[in-house]
């Protein structure tokens, strides 16, 4: 009985070896991670406004919940790079960057975060709706939608709705991940600058 068992194992060994040989030999590919933190160039407004602004949590559609860098191929189809991603979810990172941007702009006496005990004069609600390296157009594109609300009256009043867009050139139709990330940072910075100009009249 033991002899038969050993003979069966010996016969199965080549089959097991051949089965293992068909497995793909894929080299390990490191995931590259990039920060989404556009910074404004130059100084902000002279002085500081008197009103306070509460920036609420930025929302995002399901397509922007993933961290992988998004691009549009020359044929118009969309691609998500799972080996190159943002350090944090795009909407979360964009919110932190926008709060810092508005603080540096010095338009308001303070830029508040959700949970603050201070009573804001204005509330900014927004959504990150686009952040992509559009290889079909040769540019990175960013878009945010906002609603500005006044909290000074007895009941909140909508002051306006704003769509802030920005773009930045891609170096070529097949940019490296670091080039795509840099271009998307620049596009988001231009969108922030557009929002800053729109908010100036309410400061």
């Amino acid at each position: 009985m033991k002899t038969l068992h050993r003979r069966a194992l010996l016969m199965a060994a080549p089959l097991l070896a051949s089965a293992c040989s068909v497995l793909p030999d894929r080299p390990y590919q490191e995931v590259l991670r990039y920060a989404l933190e556009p910074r404004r160039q130059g100084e902000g407004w002279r002085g500081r406004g008197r009103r306070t602004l509460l920036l609420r949590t930025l929302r995002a559609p399901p397509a922007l919940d993933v961290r992988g860098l998004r691009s549009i191929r020359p044929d118009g189809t969309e691609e998500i790079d799972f080996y190159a991603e943002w350090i944090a979810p795009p909407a979360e990172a964009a919110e932190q960057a926008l709060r810092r941007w508005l603080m540096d702009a010095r338009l308001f006496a303070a830029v508040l975060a959700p949970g603050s005990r201070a009573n804001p004069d204005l509330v900014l609600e927004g959504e990150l709706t686009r952040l992509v390296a559009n290889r079909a157009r040769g540019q990175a594109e960013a878009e945010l939608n906002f609603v500005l609300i006044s909290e000074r009256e007895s009941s909140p009043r909508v002051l306006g709705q704003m769509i802030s867009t920005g773009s930045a050139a891609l170096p070529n139709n097949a940019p490296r991940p670091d080039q795509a990330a840099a271009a998307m940072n620049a596009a988001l910075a231009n969108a922030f600058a557009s929002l800053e100009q729109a908010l100036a009249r309410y400061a």
Side-chain angles (χ1 to χ4, degrees):
M1 191 69 177
K2 291 183 179 180
T3 303
L4 291 175
H5 183 64
R6 289 175 182 173
R7 186 175 300 172
L9 289 175
L10 291 173
M11 294 176 63
L15 296 176
L16 292 174
S18 62
C20 293
S21 65
V22 300
L23 294 177
D25 185 16
R26 295 182 179 178
Y28 171 75
Q29 185 171 351
E30 182 181 1
V31 177
L32 304 173
R33 293 182 172 84
Y34 301 96
L36 183 61
E37 48 180 10
R39 298 295 180 93
R40 67 193 323 276
Q41 300 297 323
E43 297 182 355
W45 295 68
R46 293 184 177 181
R48 189 178 293 273
R50 296 182 179 180
R51 294 183 176 183
T52 56
L53 175 74
L54 169 62
L55 175 61
R56 287 186 174 159
T57 302
L58 278 184
R59 302 182 302 274
L64 287 176
D65 281 343
V66 296
R67 299 191 185 193
L69 302 188
R70 296 174 64 245
S71 62
I72 296 178
R73 302 184 184 95
D75 63 2
T77 57
E78 186 174 294
E79 177 184 10
I80 297 178
D81 193 338
F82 294 102
Y83 292 98
E85 63 181 23
W86 301 113
I87 294 175
E92 178 183 325
E95 177 190 339
Q96 297 302 321
L98 178 56
R99 183 170 290 107
R100 182 173 56 245
W101 182 288
L102 294 176
M103 291 172 62
D104 293 342
R106 296 185 293 184
L107 283 173
F108 301 96
V111 179
L112 309 174
S116 172
R117 298 179 62 183
N119 294 323
D121 298 307
L122 302 169
V123 174
L124 190 64
E125 296 181 349
E127 181 179 23
L128 177 65
T129 54
R130 188 171 182 81
L131 184 64
V132 66
N134 193 334
R135 290 152 54 190
R137 296 181 179 177
Q139 63 182 20
E141 299 166 349
E143 180 182 273
L144 305 102
N145 295 338
F146 292 100
V147 173
L148 184 65
I149 303 170
S150 173
E151 292 282 350
R152 283 192 163 188
E153 293 81 2
S154 57
S155 59
R157 179 170 64 91
V158 174
L159 297 177
Q161 188 167 7
M162 309 166 186
I163 299 178
S164 299
T165 61
S167 62
L170 289 171
N172 50 63
N173 287 336
R176 301 191 311 267
D178 60 323
Q179 294 173 326
M184 282 188 273
N185 266 284
L188 191 59
N190 290 332
F192 286 176
S194 174
L195 174 65
E196 180 183 332
Q197 292 181 355
L199 289 175
R201 58 177 295 194
Y202 301 102

